[in-house]
Amino acid sequence: MPLLVGRAASLAALDTAAADDSLVLLVAQKRADTEEPGSTDLYRVGVLARILQISRLQNGTTRVLVESLARAKVTRYAIAGSHLKANVQPFPLDATPLSEDEERQTRRAVSTFEEYVALHRRLPDEVVRLIGAAETPEQQACLMAAHLSVKLEVRQRLLESQTLGVLFDQLSMTLAGEVELLRLERKIEDDVRGALFQNQREFYLQEQLRAIHRELGNEDGDDVAELEVQLIAAKLPDPVLTRARREIRKLRRMAPLSPEATVSRTFLDWVLTLPWHKRTEDSLDVKRAKEVLDEDHYGLEDVKDRILDYIAVLKQVGKMDGPILCLVGPPGVGKTSLARSIAGALGRKFVRMSLGGVRDEAEIRGHRRTYIGAMPGRIIQAMRRAESVNPVILLDEVDKLGADWRGDPSAALLEVLDPEQNTAFNDHYLEIDYDLSQVLFITTANSLSGIPEPLRDRMEIIRLTGYLDQEKLAIARQYLVPRTLKAVGIDAKDVKWEADALRTICRGWTREAGVRDFERRLSRVARKLARQRAEAAPSKKGPAPLVVRTAELTALLGAMQFDPDDTSLDDKVGVATGLAYTTVGGETLEIEVSVVDGRGRLQLTGTLGDVMKESASAALSYARQRAIHLGIAPDFYKTKDIHIHIPAGATPKDGPSAGIAIATAVVSALTGTPVRGDVAMTGEITLRGRVLPIGGVKEKAVGAHRAGISHVLLPKGNVRDLDDVPQEVRDAITFHSVGSMDEVLALGLRTPSIPHAVVTSTSGGPLSVPTTAVPARRERGTRRAPVHPH
């Protein structure tokens, strides 16, 4: 191998050896920083070599090519002029043949060296082939030791090995340690290279993107500096500004491509885009607001009055907290569209937020920024979309909120909808107090039963009952017909409707509290009219006028869905008419009782809930208690089987308000006295025959009017609720107040006379009841589908 020699003593030794026998002793010095080593600075074991070639280089050093001959051990160093001379003796390896263990050690060392070469970046693969081509194990060991990148002390220890077995043993241990280090270095290097490559790639792409923006003239400059300028211009509240500046300082210390920088930048973007002071000017003209509300919706006077009151007070005081309104009513009565009209009347921004099916509390309050992909809650998102601090926010379907292991969203709404707390609403993402007190929150629900009591207590409840037929017809003429015809490209002036056409559609094809299904039927008629016009032959005088005739409705809409004669108002034995309040409005339901000979078994069918079953048991107990007075055999409960059924069987029903209707039907079936078909009743019954008040009087009264009922029996405790009943319903129905089952039976069963009863409403208007029997009315349309009694 070639050596570079520059020290004067070593050059003198080379010259002396070249002039003599070309033999030179190569030994290592113990410390590399010793400039003039003496005999004590040199090791005693070295290599005897022959000089093959000496070349003088221009920088003053000498390149010498040597060939090693054998190991030698120095017995004595001596100074010979300007160089050292050594007396040496041969120091060969022990030539004892290798044992089997030493043979295995040899093969293990060679295998480990092959792995060492594969992991080492500076050793070529030819070294492995060179080792394999070695003639003796000694040559293999020396070749392996020569190519090891280890410390000088380790190499010297290998050189001084006494036997070949010891040499291979030391080689194996040294190679094992070096291979382990190389593996670790390779792993670290691969990891670092991968990270560097990703960072370099992202940096390169970011630089390319910046260059593209510069070419397009969209260069934004220093984002952080611009964020600071925006913070100052936004005039944020002091606590918010302090928090944002702290986030800016953190952002400056972060690497631009780090995930934490993205989180901080997103947080600052949300803070800057939220409205903190910007507000829309309220329209305080009460007259104009009333015109807007009347133009968009027919009826709904309670809600309109409440909004007009709010505008009037706001005009007087200049600024006030927004109310929390809850519109409760059946589907299709216009709750959602009414909220939009309220925003238009106030001149405010409108944001709708559907809560149906929301189960995660974080949907309201947001996620904390420690989570990947965290975002603010829906309330803050709605404020961002509104771009003002005083919008109208509609929380739609608040009664459809769910709850699971992720939390209860209705509990999170407690802070949002509480005027005492929403001045400092704290979102988990922002962790900054935000003022919601100027927001007008409007919530909608089909039923209050799905709203938790604490949340219900924070809202002002406004009930929307179902529309009467006259109201539906007025809505159809003013809103639905023009809208559906315009959707198909027909001018409403080009269509003539026969006098009873709309009424027939309303009663024959729809039976609902709202007008949603009514509008679908009108849309179908409009599509048929558009098809008629498209198929008509062109005329020079223009398109012929279209006429909707009552006789042609079946061809336009198909078979009539509700037969006006499908339910009779005749007197029947064992059949009483009850009233129910459901999420789609008030409804009537028939209660059927059959009495047959048997062993006193009571059977209840019709998918009844526990409360309704208890009402049936209470009604039967009342009949047993009053059996003699009512003309019933005292032991009927031993000899008769009583079957109580409430159609339809597949519809679940529950609630206490059908108690007096069940009792009336039971007494009628046991006595054979028919129940008046034009009388409907609602109320809870006790074992002593008392009638207790119930809920949903307004909705039930509207449902009775829709079914053609002329007399309604109400508990005395519900007389105060009659003021909420529409005047048209009060004019068409006679309401009787009852306090006991004796009064119910006197009014509900067909007897020679009806006792006198007068109900006076809280407004002072008397509702008189005739003292003679009311003859059975002719059959009128009613709905047979039973629903959930309240």
Side-chain angles (χ1 to χ4, degrees):
M1 63 183 301
L3 301 174
L4 293 178
V5 182
R7 191 178 294 162
S10 298
L11 291 174
L14 288 176
D15 293 338
T16 303
D20 191 2
D21 54 3
S22 298
L23 295 179
V24 62
L25 181 65
L26 304 178
V27 292
Q29 63 186 66
K30 297 177 181 179
R31 294 177 58 87
D33 56 353
T34 304
E35 291 297 331
E36 298 295 335
S39 59
T40 59
D41 299 322
L42 302 176
Y43 285 106
R44 291 286 175 165
V45 177
V47 176
L48 185 64
R50 177 183 290 110
I51 299 173
L52 299 181
Q53 183 182 2
I54 297 176
S55 302
R56 308 292 179 179
L57 302 180
Q58 295 180 356
N59 57 2
T61 60
T62 299
R63 181 178 181 275
V64 57
L65 183 64
V66 298
E67 178 187 11
S68 59
L69 300 177
R71 287 197 308 172
K73 188 173 184 179
V74 178
T75 59
R76 179 174 176 273
Y77 283 110
I79 298 177
S82 57
H83 62 277
L84 287 176
K85 200 168 197 179
N87 293 334
V88 299
Q89 63 182 13
F91 188 55
L93 286 170
D94 188 356
T96 303
L98 298 175
S99 63
E100 292 184 1
D101 291 341
E102 291 175 337
E103 288 286 351
R104 286 194 294 270
Q105 188 72 11
T106 301
R107 290 193 294 272
R108 187 181 303 113
V110 173
S111 176
T112 307
F113 182 76
E114 291 177 356
E115 185 178 359
Y116 175 79
V117 173
L119 293 173
H120 205 293
R121 298 187 180 278
R122 296 183 180 179
L123 291 179
D125 295 338
E126 287 77 6
V127 175
V128 177
R129 292 195 292 270
L130 185 63
I131 299 297
E135 297 178 357
T136 63
E138 183 180 356
Q139 290 182 353
Q140 285 183 329
C142 292
L143 284 171
M144 287 190 291
H147 289 90
L148 285 177
S149 300
V150 294
K151 294 181 179 181
L152 178 63
E153 293 82 359
V154 178
R155 299 170 67 89
Q156 185 67 31
R157 188 166 60 249
L158 293 173
L159 182 63
E160 295 177 359
S161 299
Q162 295 289 338
T163 64
L164 189 59
V166 173
L167 177 58
F168 273 112
D169 186 49
Q170 292 186 358
L171 276 174
S172 295
M173 291 189 295
T174 304
L175 283 170
E178 292 298 314
V179 166
E180 196 65 31
L181 287 175
L182 287 175
R183 288 175 182 168
L184 182 59
E185 290 178 2
R186 177 65 64 88
K187 181 179 181 303
I188 294 175
E189 186 178 352
D190 291 343
D191 293 344
V192 172
R193 183 183 295 110
L196 287 176
F197 174 76
Q198 182 66 22
N199 290 339
Q200 290 173 353
R201 179 175 178 273
E202 292 179 0
F203 177 77
Y204 177 71
L205 293 176
Q206 290 288 348
E207 289 298 322
Q208 278 191 327
L209 188 60
R210 289 192 182 95
I212 293 173
H213 282 305
R214 281 196 299 269
E215 292 297 327
L216 294 175
N218 297 333
E219 178 63 27
D220 294 332
D222 188 356
D223 292 341
V224 179
E226 182 154 349
L227 285 174
E228 286 185 317
V229 174
Q230 293 178 4
L231 286 177
I232 297 173
K235 298 181 180 179
L236 302 175
D238 291 339
V240 180
L241 184 59
T242 302
R243 180 72 177 83
R245 283 177 171 170
R246 186 163 70 246
E247 204 70 26
I248 285 284
R249 289 194 295 269
K250 285 174 54 180
L251 187 60
R252 285 191 179 278
R253 293 193 297 268
M254 296 178 187
L257 301 179
S258 66
E260 291 82 1
T262 303
V263 172
S264 296
R265 194 180 302 274
T266 305
F267 168 80
L268 291 171
D269 287 342
W270 274 100
V271 171
L272 288 171
T273 53
L274 280 176
W276 297 96
H277 303 289
K278 183 180 178 182
R279 56 181 291 119
T280 56
E281 291 297 327
D282 290 328
S283 176
L284 303 180
D285 189 344
V286 179
K287 184 178 179 181
R288 176 190 170 278
K290 186 176 187 306
E291 292 175 353
V292 172
L293 293 174
D294 290 340
E295 181 182 354
D296 293 341
H297 290 83
Y298 182 88
L300 307 178
E301 299 301 331
D302 292 343
V303 189
K304 294 179 181 178
D305 288 343
R306 180 63 182 88
I307 297 303
L308 295 177
D309 292 345
Y310 171 72
I311 296 176
V313 174
L314 188 63
K315 184 176 182 180
Q316 295 294 323
V317 300
K319 181 180 180 181
M320 63 180 295
D321 295 340
I324 314 295
L325 305 180
C326 180
L327 309 181
V328 182
V333 297
K335 299 183 296 296
T336 303
S337 59
L338 180 61
R340 193 183 302 273
S341 297
I342 291 173
L346 289 170
R348 294 187 178 186
K349 299 289 187 65
F350 175 77
V351 180
R352 176 183 174 271
M353 186 168 65
S354 178
L355 298 180
V358 173
R359 293 180 174 272
D360 190 356
E361 177 259 352
E363 291 279 346
I364 306 299
R365 287 187 174 274
H367 298 81
R368 300 195 182 276
R369 285 184 289 155
T370 52
Y371 296 101
I372 297 176
M375 291 182 63
R378 292 196 179 191
I379 299 297
I380 295 298
Q381 294 181 32
M383 295 302 298
R384 182 180 183 177
R385 294 199 304 271
E387 299 179 348
S388 68
V389 296
N390 61 336
V392 174
I393 295 183
L394 172 66
L395 305 179
D396 212 0
E397 308 293 352
V398 72
D399 58 331
K400 308 298 191 303
L401 283 171
D404 58 11
W405 57 270
R406 291 170 292 186
D408 187 358
S410 62
L413 281 178
L414 294 178
E415 181 183 2
V416 177
L417 300 180
D418 190 345
E420 299 297 328
Q421 300 182 45
N422 62 12
T423 55
F425 173 69
N426 194 284
D427 187 272
H428 287 164
Y429 181 86
L430 295 178
E431 295 181 338
I432 297 174
D433 290 341
Y434 190 84
D435 187 4
L436 297 174
S437 61
Q438 300 182 55
V439 179
L440 173 56
F441 285 104
I442 300 177
T443 65
T444 67
N446 296 130
S447 173
L448 289 177
S449 60
I451 304 177
E453 185 63 33
L455 183 60
R456 192 187 315 170
D457 182 62
R458 286 162 168 79
M459 299 185 293
E460 181 179 345
I461 308 298
I462 300 178
R463 293 184 178 274
L464 305 181
T465 57
Y467 292 115
L468 304 176
D469 288 349
Q470 289 76 8
E471 293 176 326
K472 291 182 181 180
L473 295 178
I475 293 172
R477 295 189 185 98
Q478 296 182 27
Y479 306 103
L480 303 184
V481 170
R483 185 164 64 200
T484 54
L485 291 176
K486 182 180 179 181
V488 297
I490 298 178
D491 191 347
K493 298 179 181 179
D494 296 339
V495 180
K496 295 181 180 179
W497 297 76
E498 283 192 355
D500 292 337
L502 289 176
R503 185 182 301 274
T504 303
I505 295 175
C506 179
R507 293 184 175 180
W509 277 269
T510 68
R511 198 64 57 83
E512 58 178 342
V515 293
R516 192 167 289 160
D517 194 28
F518 193 14
E519 184 175 6
R520 281 193 288 266
R521 303 295 178 179
L522 294 176
S523 297
R524 184 172 180 179
V525 172
R527 292 193 297 270
K528 296 295 185 181
L529 295 177
R531 181 177 175 182
Q532 290 179 13
R533 174 163 289 184
E535 293 175 350
S539 174
K540 295 181 179 180
K541 298 181 180 180
L546 300 170
V547 181
V548 180
R549 297 180 175 85
T550 306
E552 298 175 353
L553 289 179
T554 303
L556 298 175
L557 295 174
M560 188 176 294
Q561 301 296 317
F562 302 95
D563 188 355
D565 298 326
D566 62 351
T567 300
S568 172
L569 296 181
D570 286 341
D571 300 345
K572 302 182 185 69
V573 175
V575 179
T577 303
L579 294 175
Y581 170 45
T582 72
T583 57
V584 296
E587 298 287 350
T588 60
L589 69 161
E590 288 186 342
I591 298 172
E592 302 174 348
V593 177
S594 175
V595 178
V596 295
D597 293 336
R599 299 180 180 179
R601 188 167 63 97
L602 174 64
Q603 185 178 4
L604 303 173
T605 57
T607 318
L608 307 184
D610 292 337
V611 177
M612 185 169 281
K613 291 178 181 178
E614 293 171 358
S615 297
S617 299
L620 185 60
S621 297
Y622 166 78
R624 290 177 58 183
Q625 180 186 10
R626 302 279 292 171
I628 298 176
H629 177 76
L630 295 173
I632 304 173
D635 61 345
F636 76 90
Y637 62 92
K638 297 180 181 179
T639 61
K640 302 292 183 181
D641 286 346
I642 300 177
H643 184 178
I644 301 176
H645 178 69
I646 303 179
T651 304
K653 311 166 196 70
D654 202 1
S657 66
I660 63 174
I662 296 175
T664 302
V666 169
V667 173
S668 171
L670 290 172
T671 61
T673 305
V675 181
R676 291 175 51 182
D678 59 348
V679 173
M681 57 194 73
T682 179
E684 181 179 354
I685 186 175
T686 68
L687 292 176
R688 293 179 296 169
R690 294 174 55 225
V691 180
L692 303 183
I694 41 79
V697 172
K698 183 178 180 180
E699 291 79 4
K700 292 177 180 179
V702 173
H705 179 268
R706 188 183 303 119
I709 299 296
S710 58
H711 293 272
V712 172
L713 309 186
L714 288 176
K716 288 183 177 179
N718 290 117
V719 173
R720 58 182 177 271
D721 298 324
L722 291 177
D723 284 338
D724 297 332
V725 177
Q727 185 62 45
E728 183 179 349
V729 176
R730 286 189 287 175
D731 293 340
I733 296 179
T734 302
F735 293 90
H736 306 261
S737 69
V738 292
S740 66
M741 273 303 301
D742 292 342
E743 299 178 41
V744 173
L745 297 177
L747 293 169
L749 297 179
R750 178 59 65 186
T751 56
S753 63
I754 299 177
H756 179 74
V758 177
V759 177
T760 304
S761 67
T762 55
S763 61
L767 302 174
S768 61
V769 181
T771 57
T772 57
V774 179
R777 299 181 57 183
R778 61 182 178 87
E779 297 181 359
R780 290 188 56 185
T782 186
R783 183 173 184 174
R784 302 186 71 175
V787 285
H788 305 271
H790 185 68

